[in-house]
Amino acid sequence: MKAYVTLFLVTLVGVASANPKPLSALHKREAEAPHRPVALDEQVLVREKRQDEPATSPDETAIPGAQQPQEDRQQPEDAPAPAPPEELPAPEQQVAPEEPAEPQAPAPKEPQEPQAPEEPQAPERPVRPRPQPPARPQRPPRPERPSRPQGEQTAQADLCDFGSSPDVSLCDWSNLNVTQLQWQASQGQNAFWLGGPQEDVSYGDDLGGYAVFETSQIPQKTIGGPNFESAMLMSAIRPTTGPKGMCVKFWYSIGGLSPDRLRVLLHPMPDDMSKDDMDEMMMGYDGSDDVVLWEARDMTMGDWKEGQVVYTFDQRHSVIFEGIPVDSNDLSRRFRGFIAIDELSFADSSECGAFCTFEGGICGWSQDSKDDFDWAQSRGSLNPSTGPPRDRSSFANNGMMGGYAFIDSSYPRRPGDKARLMSQEFQGTNPDSPLCMRFWTHMFGNGIGSLRVIIFDVNTDEDKVIWQISGEAGNAWYQGQVPIASPTPFKIVFEGVVGNNNLGDIAIDDISIVQGACPSAPQVAAGNNGDCTFEVDECGWTNPGPRERADEIDWVRTVAADNRAPSRDHTIGTTQGFYMTLPRGSVQRGGDRAWFVSNTMKGSSDPMCIAFWYFMYEPFIDPSGPSLGSLMVYVSYEKDGNSVLEPVWALKNHQGPNWMYGQARVQNDDDFLVAFEGTWGSSRGNGFMALDDITLFIGDCSTLPEKAMTSKADCDFQRDACQWKNSTTDSDFRWTTASISRRPANLPDHTFGGPIGYAYFDVFNQAARPQSLTFTSPPMDKTADGTPICLTFWYAYFGASESTKLKISREVYDKNADEDQEGGDAQEIWSLDAVNIGTQRPEWQFGQVEVTADTDFRLNVVGMASNGGFAIDDIKTFGGGCRLRPEDATPSGEETETK
């Protein structure tokens, strides 16, 4: 019989959290906790470094596969279903799991740990015992059955945490001999020797074990020998999963430039195969029979992230973890990198409660009692004019088994009748960590109505439709996904609506929920909310027209295969994927800008967040420094009749050769637009900028990466002076921005090295006393906790007068006072005389100063000169204090009067 698989293909996008919990805690069955909302910290899939966390705790759920007391777990009916009677193996008695044995299959030699014979503390270091899961209460004995073939595993006692120093091992997992590249057991203390994270998951220190694959190694090509350029770690043989399926749980970490991806594969095994025969059988392995269950491509930035996948399979099989490096011809392969995995386990599918294949029930979902009828289960439609002929995985893999959930639109249903399938209750999501729900849907028939995904607010009993699609979509399964975010407790609802006639069955299958933002798909289901994968079109995002004079060039939607970099899109990770890129014209001009603007978004008091993936790569750095350009995100709105352009996210120049994750807060009470602005650097610059997978969701999120944070005072002067204003009374002497026709001493821009893009003052007035010119920032809000901020900037001196000075002062600002009384006395915090600079040739130099932020305030940049001046560029603020730079820029502490 043809092997049958149900699988989920999930790419996890996690964000670090201070108190991570596994996905298995995300969604528990009603029978276990009927009124308990899922805690917020149970929804996080990232485990950060821990210095003081104990190895175990009484309620620790982050160790996948750990046995739980009887009252906390599903009983035998939720275990994997047995095979047919004639080949049904089972243990004679249930016992508590034993510690996994050392691998029996031959494995390549693993490098010995470096010995340090004279290190005095090594002998005193205690060996950490592995945590022992609590014993399962004894159950009534089952009838005797034939014993299971050698090497076959059950869902019991198969957690592998790879041990602890000095006893680290691969447990019952073994390397396939079809490749020279190998996984090896290691630990955090080897992180800078063999590669891998500095801490493991189980113990949270450098002594705990994990498996690691160092991705920069290149195997030697041999004739007739193993030539796979990946490392494969295979489990022992496993039995059929039964209809309820099996959950594979694990933690993974990816770092460096040479890894490509991590995959979880399912490999069928013959019925008569034993562990002793595996090595011989795998000699002819070519991967053609394998099914990809799961994969991840994005770096985890030093964190551990949790992965889970539920699958069903109707024969014996093994699971393979495959670490894949970039191609050996790729220059990135020369750089060190690693893929690490920890805490591998197999568990009952109920422990991954957010997943559902609808082959053994409706999992943790329930029928809403307030609708018109219920969702039903089926293996295939009884009417060829509507409904799927088979479930999603059977449809894709020509399998013979499988089920799905559907709404039956036949009698006695009437147009407009609704059926609602409701999840358990979730607590409000973390503002930085929305959920991503993926599922498959089939909508075929002349009378198809609508399928909606709804957020049901538990506090207010209100529905909010976040995904909707209507009408016939062809006799095929399509994958849908939608970001899920809510500040208050909620439930997720699938609502099927009957159409105009009885040929309107709507089916869903293979539901999964993971952590991280994802754009709504298909794009037609997203409506007008701004989500976009760019696989079909631009989703309503547009380039401004020539008459608007907002930019000089346009963003272009393009397929990855037509570009040198990025070579793959982020959505599907192939050369056939699409993204938006910033093109280069036949004549490259520094400062050319391209705007990409959303549809109008409705204002709201609820905080909103925009998430996206960006690519900013400069393969060849100019001797004068990076000059790729910048990527910025603005919120544009009308206030008091004036147009306001507020930057909320900004990065400049080279960021690396990979897709990177970014997010920023974009909320506004009034209707607003979101605009991405890409700016090319100098004409000598080279490189690539691209944008993909835009998602908008509810949440008061943080700015990521942190270095992309902006404030009202930030300015690189590429477009104008931002919100900085002259407050000098003398109109003959002012701060101004550089232009092609007027700039001091041909000084280049610091940001990109172009001819313009900075502010300066230049005074020639030898007969008079030095002039004082003041440049004032927009009002700055005090910090939430009263901590100081750090103001950084670049400055350059030019001229012949040693009396020229540059000063920075801070003044208290009262935004509730009348306009002429808003500011107070200015306190000098930074001061530099031209005589102390040490050079007469204009050169950009770095300055910074700590600014008190316990009250609202403004900053003043004050220049004084009779024959000379200063230029200033790249003003930026950061949270936290900092030391004075340069050290001789010591202020006098005097109060200065703003002119």
Side-chain angles (χ1 to χ4, degrees):
M1 181 171 55
K2 183 73 176 181
Y4 160 66
V5 183
T6 296
L7 58 91
F8 297 112
L9 191 60
V10 180
T11 301
L12 298 182
V13 179
V15 181
S17 170
N19 185 21
K21 293 288 184 182
L23 184 62
S24 57
L26 182 68
H27 214 184
K28 294 189 175 180
R29 289 184 177 271
E30 292 263 3
E32 294 178 338
H35 302 294
R36 176 186 176 273
V38 179
L40 181 63
D41 63 356
E42 291 178 334
Q43 299 178 359
V44 180
L45 292 176
V46 181
R47 182 177 290 263
E48 294 180 329
K49 298 178 180 179
R50 300 169 297 170
Q51 298 294 335
D52 54 356
E53 183 176 347
T56 59
S57 61
D59 60 346
E60 178 62 69
T61 59
I63 303 178
Q67 306 251 342
Q68 301 296 330
Q70 186 171 5
E71 62 270 20
D72 290 332
R73 292 188 54 157
Q74 294 295 322
Q75 293 303 308
E77 61 270 19
D78 281 338
E86 62 273 16
E87 56 182 40
L88 180 64
E92 295 186 3
Q93 185 178 7
Q94 300 257 351
V95 295
E98 297 178 357
E99 183 170 336
E102 294 293 325
Q104 300 177 20
K109 287 187 177 181
E110 298 176 9
Q112 299 292 324
E113 297 184 18
Q115 301 296 321
E118 297 301 323
E119 187 163 338
Q121 296 187 0
E124 300 177 5
R125 175 176 285 170
V127 177
R128 284 177 177 260
R130 292 179 59 191
Q132 295 297 321
R136 179 187 290 274
Q138 292 293 320
R139 300 170 179 166
R142 292 180 175 179
E144 291 188 6
R145 294 172 180 157
S147 60
R148 178 172 280 113
Q150 182 182 3
E152 193 165 298
Q153 289 184 333
T154 69
Q156 324 262 337
D158 53 8
L159 165 68
C160 180
D161 66 3
F162 300 97
S164 178
S165 180
D167 300 320
V168 294
S169 72
L170 296 177
C171 311
D172 271 345
W173 294 76
S174 57
N175 280 287
L176 290 187
N177 56 10
V178 298
T179 172
Q180 297 177 25
L181 302 178
Q182 303 283 293
W183 292 86
Q184 54 186 316
S186 187
Q187 51 197 317
Q189 62 184 2
N190 297 335
F192 298 105
W193 181 41
L194 301 178
Q198 298 181 51
E199 296 174 349
D200 80 325
V201 174
S202 306
Y203 304 93
D205 60 21
D206 64 354
L207 299 179
Y210 51 76
V212 65
F213 164 44
E214 213 289 334
T215 51
S216 66
Q217 54 185 310
I218 298 179
Q220 295 181 352
K221 299 294 183 181
T222 58
I223 299 177
N227 289 316
F228 272 81
E229 284 209 25
S230 61
M232 300 184 186
L233 193 65
M234 174 179 271
S235 73
I237 302 174
R238 303 196 59 80
T240 174
T241 64
K244 291 188 179 295
M246 181 64 63
C247 175
V248 183
K249 306 169 72 175
F250 55 94
W251 293 79
Y252 70 98
S253 183
I254 302 175
L257 298 181
S258 51
D260 180 32
R261 63 187 67 197
L262 172 66
R263 300 199 303 179
V264 180
L265 309 176
L266 184 147
H267 181 75
M269 287 291 185
D271 291 340
D272 58 351
M273 176 65 60
S274 70
K275 187 172 182 179
D276 294 335
D277 302 326
M278 286 178 61
D279 288 335
E280 181 178 350
M281 188 207 74
M282 298 304 290
M283 289 297 294
Y285 173 85
D286 61 4
S288 60
D289 294 332
D290 292 353
V291 177
V292 178
L293 300 178
W294 178 96
E295 75 171 30
R297 302 187 306 271
D298 299 315
M299 287 193 300
T300 64
M301 308 305 291
D303 295 320
W304 286 100
K305 296 185 180 180
E306 189 185 20
Q308 294 182 2
V309 60
V310 169
Y311 69 96
T312 62
F313 196 61
D314 63 342
Q315 71 180 55
R316 299 168 71 227
H317 61 280
S318 288
V319 171
I320 299 173
F321 280 82
E322 182 183 25
I324 305 175
V326 298
D327 188 86
S328 56
N329 297 321
D330 193 317
L331 293 178
S332 296
R333 187 69 175 270
R334 299 178 301 171
F335 292 86
R336 294 295 188 192
F338 67 85
I339 301 174
I341 52 179
D342 199 1
E343 291 200 340
L344 312 186
S345 71
F346 294 86
D348 294 340
S349 60
S350 61
E351 296 192 24
C352 295
F355 295 74
C356 195
T357 67
F358 298 105
E359 289 158 16
I362 60 173
C363 313
W365 297 75
S366 61
Q367 307 283 356
D368 190 350
S369 61
K370 298 180 181 179
D371 55 9
D372 302 307
F373 67 111
D374 289 343
W375 286 79
Q377 288 179 262
S378 176
R379 292 190 65 229
S381 175
L382 300 179
N383 188 334
S385 297
T386 187
R390 57 184 67 188
D391 84 321
R392 197 279 303 183
S393 293
S394 295
F395 198 94
N397 300 298
N398 198 30
M400 301 298 293
M401 302 180 186
Y404 56 83
F406 79 111
I407 62 166
D408 186 350
S409 60
S410 62
Y411 179 84
R413 301 278 63 85
R414 292 180 291 274
D417 281 1
K418 298 178 181 179
R420 291 163 61 95
L421 193 64
M422 184 173 287
S423 75
Q424 294 179 351
E425 182 177 326
F426 292 82
Q427 285 193 358
T429 54
N430 186 318
D432 285 333
S433 301
L435 304 176
C436 176
M437 183 172 71
R438 295 187 174 99
F439 56 95
W440 291 78
T441 181
H442 190 285
M443 302 177 70
F444 172 66
N446 177 264
I448 289 292
S450 300
L451 176 65
R452 300 176 183 135
V453 178
I454 294 170
I455 293 291
F456 173 76
D457 191 308
V458 174
N459 292 346
T460 64
D461 288 345
E462 294 180 351
D463 286 347
K464 180 180 180 181
V465 178
I466 59 173
W467 187 98
Q468 177 174 305
I469 194 166
S470 301
E472 187 175 3
N475 192 12
W477 286 93
Y478 297 93
Q479 187 179 45
Q481 67 179 23
V482 59
I484 306 257
S486 174
T488 58
F490 67 97
K491 295 183 178 182
I492 304 169
V493 179
F494 278 97
E495 183 179 81
V497 183
V498 175
N500 294 329
N501 58 54
N502 64 345
L503 300 180
D505 295 356
I506 298 174
I508 58 174
D509 202 1
D510 294 352
I511 301 173
S512 63
I513 299 179
V514 297
Q515 199 77 24
C518 63
S520 297
Q523 292 176 188
V524 66
N528 196 30
N529 65 357
D531 285 14
C532 199
T533 64
F534 303 108
E535 296 305 309
V536 178
D537 54 28
E538 292 85 357
C539 316
W541 291 79
T542 58
N543 290 287
R547 293 185 177 181
E548 298 180 47
R549 298 183 178 180
D551 56 10
E552 293 77 29
I553 53 179
D554 289 340
W555 288 88
V556 175
R557 177 177 168 267
T558 181
V559 65
D562 292 344
N563 297 280
R564 204 176 95 195
S567 59
R568 295 180 295 190
D569 80 321
H570 182 266
T571 310
I572 59 178
T574 72
T575 58
Q576 301 307 309
F578 287 80
Y579 52 75
M580 300 301 298
T581 187
L582 196 61
R584 291 188 178 274
S586 57
V587 178
Q588 176 64 43
R589 295 182 300 178
D592 280 357
R593 297 162 299 178
W595 269 46
F596 198 45
V597 184
S598 71
N599 290 313
T600 300
M601 298 185 180
K602 189 174 182 180
S604 172
S605 58
D606 295 330
M608 290 287 295
C609 185
I610 186 169
F612 53 93
W613 289 82
Y614 63 93
F615 185 91
M616 300 177 70
Y617 178 45
E618 194 171 4
F620 305 104
I621 305 299
D622 189 84
S624 62
S627 56
L628 172 65
S630 66
L631 180 65
M632 300 186 69
V633 181
Y634 292 94
V635 172
S636 176
Y637 56 94
E638 298 289 330
K639 186 174 182 179
D640 299 329
N642 298 317
S643 180
V644 179
L645 192 63
E646 179 183 343
V648 295
W649 190 96
L651 281 181
K652 295 181 176 65
N653 296 322
H654 173 81
Q655 300 297 321
N658 300 309
W659 284 104
M660 310 291 284
Y661 177 76
Q663 71 177 30
R665 191 176 189 270
V666 294
Q667 180 268 338
N668 198 69
D669 292 339
D670 301 314
D671 291 352
F672 64 96
L673 302 173
V674 177
F676 285 88
E677 180 190 69
T679 304
W680 285 127
S682 71
S683 58
R684 300 188 308 275
N686 66 91
F688 311 90
M689 274 193 277
L691 186 66
D692 204 0
D693 289 346
I694 300 174
T695 308
L696 283 102
F697 59 91
I698 296 174
D700 192 7
C701 66
S702 307
T703 301
L704 294 176
E706 189 176 350
K707 62 183 176 181
M709 292 179 63
T710 62
S711 74
K712 297 177 182 177
D714 292 357
C715 193
D716 60 11
F717 301 100
Q718 296 299 308
R719 175 187 296 273
D720 49 32
C722 307
Q723 300 183 58
W724 287 77
K725 297 180 180 179
N726 272 286
S727 52
T728 306
T729 55
D730 192 335
S731 59
D732 293 332
F733 301 103
R734 301 174 60 83
W735 285 86
T736 188
T737 54
S739 65
I740 295 293
S741 60
R742 185 171 182 178
R743 55 194 178 111
N746 289 325
L747 180 69
D749 166 46
H750 174 266
T751 313
F752 304 128
I756 61 174
Y758 56 90
Y760 74 99
F761 73 91
D762 189 4
V763 174
F764 180 72
N765 191 13
Q766 290 181 323
R769 63 182 180 84
Q771 298 292 320
S772 179
L773 305 92
T774 302
F775 207 27
T776 303
S777 76
M780 302 283 290
D781 297 330
K782 64 181 179 181
T783 55
D785 53 1
T787 56
I789 64 170
C790 182
L791 174 72
T792 67
F793 53 94
W794 290 81
Y795 64 92
Y797 162 70
F798 51 89
S801 172
E802 295 183 352
S803 64
T804 304
K805 295 182 178 181
L806 185 67
K807 299 180 179 181
I808 296 176
S809 61
R810 175 193 183 275
E811 62 174 305
V812 176
Y813 177 81
D814 185 358
K815 55 188 175 184
N816 296 319
D818 294 336
E819 184 175 354
D820 58 347
Q821 298 178 344
E822 292 174 332
D825 293 332
Q827 185 73 31
E828 185 179 298
I829 57 176
W830 188 96
S831 179
L832 187 66
D833 294 338
V835 69
N836 295 327
I837 292 180
T839 177
Q840 294 295 319
R841 190 167 73 98
E843 293 180 356
W844 288 108
Q845 301 184 52
F846 180 70
Q848 70 177 26
V849 61
E850 181 176 300
V851 181
T852 302
D854 55 357
T855 62
D856 296 340
F857 64 95
R858 287 189 304 202
L859 296 170
N860 296 312
V861 179
V862 182
M864 300 182 66
S866 59
N867 185 17
F870 272 92
I872 192 166
D873 200 2
D874 293 334
I875 300 174
K876 189 169 181 61
T877 60
F878 299 89
C882 56
R883 293 192 299 176
L884 188 72
R885 292 184 182 174
E887 295 181 356
D888 55 0
T890 305
S892 64
E894 298 175 354
E895 292 184 353
T896 60
E897 183 179 351
T898 301
K899 293 188 177 181

